[in-house]
Amino acid sequence: MQFRHRRHIVRALLAATSLVTLAGTAHAQDAAPTGTDPASTAVEDAEAEIVVTGFRASLNAALNVKRQSVGAVDAIVAEDIAKFPDQNLAESLQRIPGIAIQRDGGEGRAITVRGLGAQFTRVRVNGLETVTTSSDGASANRDRSFDFNVFASELFSSIVVHKTASADLDEGSLGAVVDLNTGNPLAGKTGLTVAASAVANYNDLSKTVGPRFAGLIGWKSPDGTLGASISAAYQDTRTKEIGNNTVRWAQARFDSVDGTRCWTAPNRGGTYIAGAACDRAALSFHPRIPRYGEVEHSRERLGLTGSVQWSPTDATKVSIDGLYSRFRADRREKWGEVLLRSNERQIDVLSPTYDDNNNMMSATLNDAWVRTEHYFRQSQTEFYQIGGTWDQDLSDTFRFTLLGGVSKSDASVPVETTLVFDDRDAQGYRYDYSNKNSPLLAFGTSVTDPANFQLAEIRDRPSDVVNQFKTAQLRTEWDVAEGFQVRAGGMWRRYDYDITAFTRDTAVCGNGGRDLVLGTITCSASTAFGPTAVYGFQATNALSELFTLRGSNAPSGTSLQWLIPNFDAVTDFTGLYNRPLALDVGNNRGVVEETKGGYLQFDAKGTVFGLEYAANAGIRYVRTDQSSYGINSGVNVTVKRDYEDWLPSMNVALYPTSDIIVRGAIAKVITRPSLGNLTPGGSADGFNFRVTSGNPFLEPFRATNYDLAAEWYFAPQSAFSVALFRKDVASFPVAVARSGTFTETGLSPSVLVSSSPAALNPALQSQDIWTISTTGNGQGASLDGIEIALQAPFRFLPGVLRNFGGIVNATFVRSEADYTQQGPATTPGGALPTVTRTETLYNVSKRQFNATLYYEDDRFSARTSVAYRGPYVDGGSGTGNIFEGYDSIANVDASIRYKLTDFLELSLEGTNLTDAYRRRIVDVDARRNYENNHFGRTLLVGARVKM
């Protein structure tokens, strides 16, 4: 066969399945068994499967993409125009073998492919690499990770995941290259096409209803040479996240334990008195900030796409595609807590109990620092991309594609405010973590009386993260002979990444004198202690509001009601947003990467020793010119460097029979270093006593990937596959940490947030309690895994049962890397020793499973899906804990659809039907509670019209 038939394969597939075009998936269309005519084969398949529609048709189209590829490819295809199979792109991707997702606020946000985290995956939209970021938890995404929650799923027609590399595929991924494709109007029907849907979504935890609308208008000229389409999607949702949190566990020396004095002076100063009770309490781990609370999520998405295509002849096709998305996310948190962190020196401990992992599991605390918080963040990600593609056949044997475009993602956080009430000498606080998931937390003194609180701290941390791409590519294809093709191309790409961040953080009182906000009260010295100490403005009814926590599943006796600052009243009273902005030194930085390169690839198909095969082999060259800037000791610093990579690759597909494919691949691949690690500047955290500096000379992650797979297409719409993979990572940046003093770093105290304990108490700056960390070039790591997948309709069953079908897959991964961590202190108040530990690669789950059971007939369809992800470590920890990460989780979703007429369909969908809890743990040995939250079930009721 001639490779020029590749485009006709795509068109025949789309005609057979009545689906939106797989624009930009040329990689997935390059192989079929030699000796068959692809156009006639596709037509025969179309005749055989003409009755297949809906979800079953989307599965069939995705299998065709997989089957016709030389490399390892998986796909998800829209069931129909503007009708993606899931409400969220990330949640669709988790159905693919080897892919797991990370959730934020109860919905999918980022993906992990074959055990490698989001930063190792490159994402292209309509063939152009891009990055879009949003805010996760209490901070923004400031790395190369792609946030899928920015886009409405209705805007896309397909997702194609390339799991193996080839020379003509963009570099930058150790895990996968993911293609997101919007609509292609020339693949639609002649004339006008209109589709629209309306959905109401309800969350049973927030008790709110929000709208979701989507629509598409497409037109194709009668002669099929001109097409245009526009689509739009809008969504507004309100959800809640309710649970508990410890903000890690830590060791520290207390004021007294069960009446035994631990210091020669109470509350402040003096000398530590060693003893059995005091030493055991000091060396055990206690929760740093035990608390219950509620997080409200308000999300609004608006997305627009537009496409114009012109194909005056079969030899010419010009496409212009545009995509715009605006994602607004408000986050509001309300917490009731005790701030043990850095305040243990004043706290008296009564009746402590300990477990076998050296944890102080329960205790009563006097002179405790009670705090309530009201946090609010506004964020918006605005994304746009415009790109153009020119496909031209210059002859029957030579053709080219010229591709170019620009994209920009601007993730701004104009407001990130925290307001704090304190009661710094509360009595009778009690905690009990016997049930680690649902601890008992009880305030001993009233937390509903404003007379017990002072407004002690106000914070605001606006920021902005901008990612920009400019891309130009030329791809050529030359059919040298039957079954042999040469591909060559060149590319230029510029990536700009910039962060700006500021603070308005202010502790109301410094070390005595007039307050630092309004200058209207006289503050006590920071050494003052007791009910007469003045450390903020007296709370009043006007400055406060009563918060009641519901849905926490906390045990009886837990305090579920407390006062928090009234947001509008306090920000107005303090004039917070009129205060001057201070530079957040560690978060004013950026990177510019300009990459230039090219590739040469040979594609072959034929028969050897009677065995049909398809293969490609080639090499990709890329030069990276990198410029990093940041602030170091108050000076703007820019560091420039460059490096080159030669990336050979080979993919082979063998066809022992018409239904069996054996694939093999080997490739050298790279992922460029994490953006946060490249800054020549540094940052200081005066709350957690940590100084972090970047390293602009980090080497990229470099690896050699090996893949071997077998696929059996044993019946129509059916496949069984097994894939083995190995990744030998030769260079692997690792954290390098040690203990020391803040003073020895040479940083100015002005870089510390003014409200942090280290800024308020300068004596802490000279103590050997600081973690000083940077990132260095490590010695590498390894990862091995296996994927198993089975997909089939149950056509062998009788009657209506034959309308059922199933999809199941499982992935098992083994990996290890050496990391430098700081372990527990071995003497009361001592430094944290540096230890080297071998652990799985960050974000790698050893096991993950997905299963979908579906039913579909002419009118009715239903699906139930379960996605399980095993526990995983997602990073190093602090305060003596060895790593931290997440426990296993299983999410259950379901949907029902019914066609009233050929153009009107009703739907009922549910996500997270079991209301699964997300549990975060700290320290892989002791598995201490970090957080345990749930997000509620979401139900969606809607209707869809297509004409």
Side-chain angles (χ1 to χ4, degrees), residues 254 256-259 338 340 347-353 360-368 426-432 440 442-445:
F254 291 91
S256 70
V257 178
D258 273 338
V338 164
L340 282 85
I347 295 176
D348 298 316
V349 178
L350 300 175
S351 305
T353 65
M360 188 187 293
M361 297 300 294
S362 67
T364 297
L365 309 178
N366 289 332
D367 291 346
Q427 306 299 306
Y429 176 80
R430 185 163 60 101
Y431 76 83
D432 186 345
L440 185 150
F443 297 102
T445 52

mmCIF file of all heavy atoms in Angstrom, residues 254 256-259 338 340 347-353 360-368 426-432 440 442-445:
data_model
loop_
_atom_site.group_PDB
_atom_site.id
_atom_site.type_symbol
_atom_site.label_atom_id
_atom_site.label_comp_id
_atom_site.label_asym_id
_atom_site.label_seq_id
_atom_site.Cartn_x
_atom_site.Cartn_y
_atom_site.Cartn_z
ATOM 1 N N PHE A 254 7.442 20.382 74.959
ATOM 2 C CA PHE A 254 6.299 21.074 75.541
ATOM 3 C C PHE A 254 6.689 21.753 76.846
ATOM 4 O O PHE A 254 7.775 21.499 77.417
ATOM 5 C CB PHE A 254 5.158 20.083 75.761
ATOM 6 C CG PHE A 254 4.549 19.577 74.489
ATOM 7 C CD1 PHE A 254 5.022 18.414 73.875
ATOM 8 C CD2 PHE A 254 3.506 20.262 73.883
ATOM 9 C CE1 PHE A 254 4.466 17.944 72.699
ATOM 10 C CE2 PHE A 254 2.937 19.801 72.700
ATOM 11 C CZ PHE A 254 3.421 18.641 72.110
ATOM 12 N N SER A 256 5.030 21.478 79.808
ATOM 13 C CA SER A 256 4.964 20.471 80.872
ATOM 14 C C SER A 256 4.189 19.275 80.361
ATOM 15 O O SER A 256 3.430 19.378 79.389
ATOM 16 C CB SER A 256 4.292 21.030 82.131
ATOM 17 O OG SER A 256 2.897 21.235 81.914
ATOM 18 N N VAL A 257 4.385 18.136 81.034
ATOM 19 C CA VAL A 257 3.683 16.913 80.660
ATOM 20 C C VAL A 257 3.154 16.269 81.938
ATOM 21 O O VAL A 257 3.937 15.903 82.835
ATOM 22 C CB VAL A 257 4.606 15.926 79.918
ATOM 23 C CG1 VAL A 257 3.856 14.635 79.588
ATOM 24 C CG2 VAL A 257 5.162 16.563 78.646
ATOM 25 N N ASP A 258 1.831 16.169 82.051
ATOM 26 C CA ASP A 258 1.178 15.584 83.230
ATOM 27 C C ASP A 258 1.709 16.192 84.528
ATOM 28 O O ASP A 258 1.978 15.487 85.517
ATOM 29 C CB ASP A 258 1.366 14.065 83.245
ATOM 30 C CG ASP A 258 0.281 13.341 82.452
ATOM 31 O OD1 ASP A 258 -0.799 13.936 82.252
ATOM 32 O OD2 ASP A 258 0.527 12.197 82.023
ATOM 33 N N GLY A 259 1.886 17.504 84.519
ATOM 34 C CA GLY A 259 2.316 18.220 85.714
ATOM 35 C C GLY A 259 3.818 18.271 85.917
ATOM 36 O O GLY A 259 4.306 18.999 86.792
ATOM 37 N N VAL A 338 -6.227 24.119 66.359
ATOM 38 C CA VAL A 338 -5.242 24.513 67.373
ATOM 39 C C VAL A 338 -3.877 24.534 66.703
ATOM 40 O O VAL A 338 -3.480 23.580 66.035
ATOM 41 C CB VAL A 338 -5.247 23.542 68.569
ATOM 42 C CG1 VAL A 338 -3.983 23.709 69.400
ATOM 43 C CG2 VAL A 338 -6.463 23.801 69.443
ATOM 44 N N LEU A 340 -0.575 24.027 67.198
ATOM 45 C CA LEU A 340 0.564 23.529 67.961
ATOM 46 C C LEU A 340 1.878 23.945 67.303
ATOM 47 O O LEU A 340 2.873 24.180 67.998
ATOM 48 C CB LEU A 340 0.508 22.004 68.084
ATOM 49 C CG LEU A 340 -0.464 21.442 69.131
ATOM 50 C CD1 LEU A 340 -1.858 21.311 68.567
ATOM 51 C CD2 LEU A 340 0.030 20.090 69.640
ATOM 52 N N ILE A 347 2.672 25.096 75.720
ATOM 53 C CA ILE A 347 1.523 24.217 75.920
ATOM 54 C C ILE A 347 1.816 23.177 77.004
ATOM 55 O O ILE A 347 2.863 22.521 77.011
ATOM 56 C CB ILE A 347 1.151 23.515 74.599
ATOM 57 C CG1 ILE A 347 0.665 24.553 73.572
ATOM 58 C CG2 ILE A 347 0.093 22.439 74.816
ATOM 59 C CD1 ILE A 347 0.377 23.980 72.214
ATOM 60 N N ASP A 348 0.855 23.017 77.909
ATOM 61 C CA ASP A 348 0.884 21.964 78.928
ATOM 62 C C ASP A 348 0.094 20.765 78.414
ATOM 63 O O ASP A 348 -1.066 20.894 78.008
ATOM 64 C CB ASP A 348 0.262 22.461 80.231
ATOM 65 C CG ASP A 348 1.030 23.643 80.813
ATOM 66 O OD1 ASP A 348 2.269 23.601 80.827
ATOM 67 O OD2 ASP A 348 0.375 24.629 81.230
ATOM 68 N N VAL A 349 0.722 19.588 78.462
ATOM 69 C CA VAL A 349 0.104 18.363 77.953
ATOM 70 C C VAL A 349 -0.374 17.522 79.126
ATOM 71 O O VAL A 349 0.375 17.264 80.076
ATOM 72 C CB VAL A 349 1.109 17.563 77.107
ATOM 73 C CG1 VAL A 349 0.476 16.258 76.626
ATOM 74 C CG2 VAL A 349 1.584 18.387 75.920
ATOM 75 N N LEU A 350 -1.620 17.061 79.054
ATOM 76 C CA LEU A 350 -2.196 16.198 80.087
ATOM 77 C C LEU A 350 -2.683 14.906 79.453
ATOM 78 O O LEU A 350 -3.225 14.890 78.346
ATOM 79 C CB LEU A 350 -3.369 16.902 80.773
ATOM 80 C CG LEU A 350 -3.059 18.228 81.486
ATOM 81 C CD1 LEU A 350 -4.341 18.862 82.000
ATOM 82 C CD2 LEU A 350 -2.074 18.005 82.620
ATOM 83 N N SER A 351 -2.482 13.803 80.162
ATOM 84 C CA SER A 351 -2.996 12.471 79.783
ATOM 85 C C SER A 351 -2.652 12.075 78.351
ATOM 86 O O SER A 351 -3.522 11.625 77.590
ATOM 87 C CB SER A 351 -4.522 12.424 79.980
ATOM 88 O OG SER A 351 -4.875 12.770 81.288
ATOM 89 N N PRO A 352 -1.402 12.202 77.932
ATOM 90 C CA PRO A 352 -1.066 11.776 76.567
ATOM 91 C C PRO A 352 -1.087 10.257 76.444
ATOM 92 O O PRO A 352 -0.767 9.536 77.386
ATOM 93 C CB PRO A 352 0.345 12.326 76.368
ATOM 94 C CG PRO A 352 0.926 12.351 77.748
ATOM 95 C CD PRO A 352 -0.224 12.692 78.669
ATOM 96 N N THR A 353 -1.474 9.762 75.281
ATOM 97 C CA THR A 353 -1.376 8.339 74.963
ATOM 98 C C THR A 353 -0.537 8.185 73.699
ATOM 99 O O THR A 353 -0.554 9.055 72.827
ATOM 100 C CB THR A 353 -2.751 7.696 74.756
ATOM 101 O OG1 THR A 353 -3.381 8.267 73.597
ATOM 102 C CG2 THR A 353 -3.644 7.913 75.964
ATOM 103 N N MET A 360 1.827 10.599 69.508
ATOM 104 C CA MET A 360 0.980 11.010 70.616
ATOM 105 C C MET A 360 -0.441 11.066 70.071
ATOM 106 O O MET A 360 -0.868 12.041 69.477
ATOM 107 C CB MET A 360 1.407 12.385 71.149
ATOM 108 C CG MET A 360 0.686 12.792 72.431
ATOM 109 S SD MET A 360 1.049 14.504 72.937
ATOM 110 C CE MET A 360 2.786 14.369 73.370
ATOM 111 N N MET A 361 -1.168 9.968 70.282
ATOM 112 C CA MET A 361 -2.455 9.794 69.624
ATOM 113 C C MET A 361 -3.566 10.609 70.251
ATOM 114 O O MET A 361 -4.553 10.942 69.585
ATOM 115 C CB MET A 361 -2.838 8.317 69.618
ATOM 116 C CG MET A 361 -1.880 7.451 68.831
ATOM 117 S SD MET A 361 -1.764 7.943 67.094
ATOM 118 C CE MET A 361 -3.408 7.546 66.535
ATOM 119 N N SER A 362 -3.453 10.920 71.544
ATOM 120 C CA SER A 362 -4.487 11.721 72.196
ATOM 121 C C SER A 362 -3.855 12.489 73.345
ATOM 122 O O SER A 362 -2.815 12.092 73.891
ATOM 123 C CB SER A 362 -5.636 10.843 72.708
ATOM 124 O OG SER A 362 -5.190 10.004 73.761
ATOM 125 N N ALA A 363 -4.481 13.584 73.699
ATOM 126 C CA ALA A 363 -3.996 14.400 74.814
ATOM 127 C C ALA A 363 -4.990 15.518 75.069
ATOM 128 O O ALA A 363 -5.829 15.847 74.225
ATOM 129 C CB ALA A 363 -2.615 14.986 74.507
ATOM 130 N N THR A 364 -4.880 16.088 76.256
ATOM 131 C CA THR A 364 -5.579 17.326 76.596
ATOM 132 C C THR A 364 -4.523 18.426 76.706
ATOM 133 O O THR A 364 -3.452 18.214 77.293
ATOM 134 C CB THR A 364 -6.348 17.195 77.906
ATOM 135 O OG1 THR A 364 -7.359 16.180 77.754
ATOM 136 C CG2 THR A 364 -7.021 18.500 78.286
ATOM 137 N N LEU A 365 -4.817 19.588 76.136
ATOM 138 C CA LEU A 365 -3.841 20.675 76.065
ATOM 139 C C LEU A 365 -4.365 21.905 76.794
ATOM 140 O O LEU A 365 -5.505 22.332 76.570
ATOM 141 C CB LEU A 365 -3.547 21.035 74.606
ATOM 142 C CG LEU A 365 -3.171 19.887 73.658
ATOM 143 C CD1 LEU A 365 -2.959 20.425 72.246
ATOM 144 C CD2 LEU A 365 -1.931 19.156 74.150
ATOM 145 N N ASN A 366 -3.535 22.463 77.664
ATOM 146 C CA ASN A 366 -3.807 23.763 78.281
ATOM 147 C C ASN A 366 -2.832 24.797 77.736
ATOM 148 O O ASN A 366 -1.732 24.462 77.294
ATOM 149 C CB ASN A 366 -3.693 23.682 79.805
ATOM 150 C CG ASN A 366 -4.832 22.908 80.430
ATOM 151 O OD1 ASN A 366 -5.943 22.868 79.885
ATOM 152 N ND2 ASN A 366 -4.578 22.270 81.574
ATOM 153 N N ASP A 367 -3.247 26.047 77.807
ATOM 154 C CA ASP A 367 -2.484 27.149 77.206
ATOM 155 C C ASP A 367 -2.275 26.900 75.711
ATOM 156 O O ASP A 367 -1.208 27.171 75.144
ATOM 157 C CB ASP A 367 -1.121 27.338 77.895
ATOM 158 C CG ASP A 367 -1.256 27.866 79.313
ATOM 159 O OD1 ASP A 367 -2.358 28.331 79.664
ATOM 160 O OD2 ASP A 367 -0.273 27.794 80.066
ATOM 161 N N ALA A 368 -3.315 26.369 75.068
ATOM 162 C CA ALA A 368 -3.237 26.056 73.640
ATOM 163 C C ALA A 368 -3.545 27.298 72.803
ATOM 164 O O ALA A 368 -4.311 28.175 73.205
ATOM 165 C CB ALA A 368 -4.214 24.942 73.297
ATOM 166 N N ALA A 426 -5.879 29.171 75.422
ATOM 167 C CA ALA A 426 -7.108 28.420 75.661
ATOM 168 C C ALA A 426 -6.820 27.203 76.534
ATOM 169 O O ALA A 426 -5.743 26.620 76.502
ATOM 170 C CB ALA A 426 -7.736 27.996 74.339
ATOM 171 N N GLN A 427 -7.819 26.807 77.317
ATOM 172 C CA GLN A 427 -7.681 25.691 78.254
ATOM 173 C C GLN A 427 -8.568 24.522 77.832
ATOM 174 O O GLN A 427 -9.637 24.696 77.243
ATOM 175 C CB GLN A 427 -8.067 26.141 79.668
ATOM 176 C CG GLN A 427 -7.330 27.375 80.160
ATOM 177 C CD GLN A 427 -5.830 27.179 80.222
ATOM 178 O OE1 GLN A 427 -5.347 26.234 80.844
ATOM 179 N NE2 GLN A 427 -5.084 28.062 79.557
ATOM 180 N N GLY A 428 -8.089 23.305 78.159
ATOM 181 C CA GLY A 428 -8.917 22.110 78.038
ATOM 182 C C GLY A 428 -9.182 21.626 76.631
ATOM 183 O O GLY A 428 -10.176 20.916 76.409
ATOM 184 N N TYR A 429 -8.307 21.962 75.664
ATOM 185 C CA TYR A 429 -8.498 21.424 74.317
ATOM 186 C C TYR A 429 -8.138 19.936 74.317
ATOM 187 O O TYR A 429 -7.129 19.522 74.890
ATOM 188 C CB TYR A 429 -7.634 22.169 73.303
ATOM 189 C CG TYR A 429 -7.729 21.592 71.910
ATOM 190 C CD1 TYR A 429 -8.813 21.895 71.092
ATOM 191 C CD2 TYR A 429 -6.755 20.731 71.420
ATOM 192 C CE1 TYR A 429 -8.914 21.361 69.821
ATOM 193 C CE2 TYR A 429 -6.854 20.184 70.145
ATOM 194 C CZ TYR A 429 -7.944 20.504 69.351
ATOM 195 O OH TYR A 429 -8.040 19.975 68.096
ATOM 196 N N ARG A 430 -8.938 19.144 73.630
ATOM 197 C CA ARG A 430 -8.732 17.704 73.637
ATOM 198 C C ARG A 430 -8.757 17.163 72.209
ATOM 199 O O ARG A 430 -9.635 17.515 71.415
ATOM 200 C CB ARG A 430 -9.839 17.031 74.460
ATOM 201 C CG ARG A 430 -9.672 15.511 74.643
ATOM 202 C CD ARG A 430 -10.556 15.002 75.786
ATOM 203 N NE ARG A 430 -11.961 15.275 75.530
ATOM 204 C CZ ARG A 430 -12.830 14.352 75.081
ATOM 205 N NH1 ARG A 430 -12.411 13.121 74.844
ATOM 206 N NH2 ARG A 430 -14.083 14.656 74.902
ATOM 207 N N TYR A 431 -7.767 16.325 71.898
ATOM 208 C CA TYR A 431 -7.777 15.634 70.606
ATOM 209 C C TYR A 431 -7.563 14.142 70.828
ATOM 210 O O TYR A 431 -6.925 13.725 71.788
ATOM 211 C CB TYR A 431 -6.721 16.210 69.643
ATOM 212 C CG TYR A 431 -5.298 15.794 69.924
ATOM 213 C CD1 TYR A 431 -4.802 14.568 69.466
ATOM 214 C CD2 TYR A 431 -4.418 16.635 70.609
ATOM 215 C CE1 TYR A 431 -3.491 14.189 69.696
ATOM 216 C CE2 TYR A 431 -3.107 16.261 70.843
ATOM 217 C CZ TYR A 431 -2.643 15.033 70.385
ATOM 218 O OH TYR A 431 -1.346 14.655 70.612
ATOM 219 N N ASP A 432 -8.119 13.344 69.911
ATOM 220 C CA ASP A 432 -7.986 11.885 69.996
ATOM 221 C C ASP A 432 -8.006 11.317 68.576
ATOM 222 O O ASP A 432 -9.025 11.373 67.886
ATOM 223 C CB ASP A 432 -9.130 11.295 70.819
ATOM 224 C CG ASP A 432 -8.953 9.794 71.068
ATOM 225 O OD1 ASP A 432 -8.119 9.160 70.384
ATOM 226 O OD2 ASP A 432 -9.661 9.249 71.940
ATOM 227 N N LEU A 440 -11.465 12.857 67.104
ATOM 228 C CA LEU A 440 -12.250 13.712 67.996
ATOM 229 C C LEU A 440 -11.426 14.951 68.296
ATOM 230 O O LEU A 440 -10.303 14.850 68.801
ATOM 231 C CB LEU A 440 -12.601 12.974 69.286
ATOM 232 C CG LEU A 440 -13.519 13.718 70.268
ATOM 233 C CD1 LEU A 440 -14.355 12.737 71.070
ATOM 234 C CD2 LEU A 440 -12.728 14.604 71.238
ATOM 235 N N ALA A 442 -12.005 18.586 70.289
ATOM 236 C CA ALA A 442 -12.978 19.289 71.136
ATOM 237 C C ALA A 442 -12.309 20.473 71.822
ATOM 238 O O ALA A 442 -11.298 20.318 72.514
ATOM 239 C CB ALA A 442 -13.569 18.340 72.172
ATOM 240 N N PHE A 443 -12.882 21.653 71.627
ATOM 241 C CA PHE A 443 -12.399 22.855 72.312
ATOM 242 C C PHE A 443 -12.941 22.865 73.736
ATOM 243 O O PHE A 443 -14.133 22.635 73.974
ATOM 244 C CB PHE A 443 -12.842 24.110 71.576
ATOM 245 C CG PHE A 443 -12.282 24.220 70.178
ATOM 246 C CD1 PHE A 443 -13.064 23.922 69.074
ATOM 247 C CD2 PHE A 443 -10.970 24.611 69.974
ATOM 248 C CE1 PHE A 443 -12.558 24.021 67.794
ATOM 249 C CE2 PHE A 443 -10.448 24.708 68.702
ATOM 250 C CZ PHE A 443 -11.244 24.413 67.603
ATOM 251 N N GLY A 444 -12.054 23.169 74.693
ATOM 252 C CA GLY A 444 -12.472 23.186 76.088
ATOM 253 C C GLY A 444 -13.064 24.508 76.518
ATOM 254 O O GLY A 444 -13.840 24.574 77.470
ATOM 255 N N THR A 445 -12.701 25.590 75.821
ATOM 256 C CA THR A 445 -13.263 26.903 76.120
ATOM 257 C C THR A 445 -14.131 27.327 74.952
ATOM 258 O O THR A 445 -14.011 26.805 73.844
ATOM 259 C CB THR A 445 -12.155 27.948 76.351
ATOM 260 O OG1 THR A 445 -11.252 27.913 75.246
ATOM 261 C CG2 THR A 445 -11.383 27.638 77.614
#
